[in-house]
Amino acid sequence: MSDPFYTVQILLRPVLVVCLVFAALAFVYSRIKKRSAQDAALMVDSAGRITYWNSASTRIFGYTENEALGKKLHRLLAPQACYEAYRKALTKLYNTAKDNNATENYEWNAVHRDGHEIRVALSLSAIKLQAGWHVIGIVHDSRDREAESSSKS
């Protein structure tokens, strides 16, 4: 005779997993929304294609959401000489995050839509979604940080 409590536990495991995934996504979404007024938030899939782009991303980089979605991150934002470094950084993050939920922080140059380079502070974390591994990036325009520092002085 089987234990009914054990049967309920077995039946509820998939529900618990789904709840945990939704909780993680809600946390990420709330973090993105909270910071979206000033910082760019974007998500990139395992092929390096942009899958999420907020309005601050448009303000900082000059590309609309429709222009950015589906494009390769390094092709859209990296200075041409840095394509390979961008690609390697994403690959490294995917590999390390799978093991220990690492967050990587970088200072990078990016190219605005109009062609001028901007210095950005970039915080990257990886998350596994149903469609596979994605990288979530929070990008802060370093010029904004410099302006904040000088206004406090």
Side-chain angles (χ1 to χ4, degrees):
M1 185 171 210
S2 67
D3 180 7
F5 182 69
Y6 180 75
T7 304
V8 169
Q9 282 182 320
I10 296 297
L11 293 174
L12 289 179
R13 276 191 187 148
V15 173
L16 179 61
V17 169
V18 169
C19 288
L20 290 173
V21 168
F22 278 117
L25 289 174
F27 171 76
V28 168
Y29 181 75
S30 69
R31 182 175 175 202
I32 289 170
K33 292 299 279 183
K34 182 177 173 184
R35 303 215 41 186
S36 67
Q38 69 237 15
D39 292 345
L42 49 97
M43 190 179 322
V44 179
D45 67 13
S46 60
R49 290 182 306 265
I50 298 167
T51 59
Y52 178 81
W53 186 265
N54 72 350
S55 60
S57 300
T58 298
R59 180 181 53 79
I60 292 172
F61 298 114
Y63 293 96
T64 66
E65 181 180 25
N66 287 339
E67 292 171 319
L69 291 179
K71 301 288 189 301
K72 295 267 187 172
L73 175 74
H74 67 285
R75 294 288 182 193
L76 190 67
L77 300 179
Q80 192 169 4
C82 299
Y83 284 174
E84 190 61 20
Y86 266 62
R87 191 191 61 72
K88 283 182 180 179
L90 284 175
T91 301
K92 176 186 172 200
L93 181 65
Y94 284 122
N95 291 335
T96 58
K98 290 177 188 177
D99 297 329
N100 60 10
N101 297 322
T103 297
E104 299 284 335
N105 295 300
Y106 300 95
E107 285 276 335
W108 287 81
N109 285 336
V111 178
H112 188 275
R113 184 173 190 249
D114 68 12
H116 77 276
E117 285 192 23
I118 54 176
R119 189 76 175 159
V120 295
L122 177 62
S123 179
L124 300 174
S125 297
I127 184 170
K128 186 169 185 177
L129 301 175
Q130 192 171 19
W133 283 95
H134 285 68
V135 169
I136 297 169
I138 304 297
V139 182
H140 189 83
D141 186 340
S142 294
R143 295 172 302 178
D144 291 345
R145 184 171 290 151
E146 290 165 8
E148 288 169 11
S149 295
S150 60
S151 69
K152 291 177 183 175
S153 302

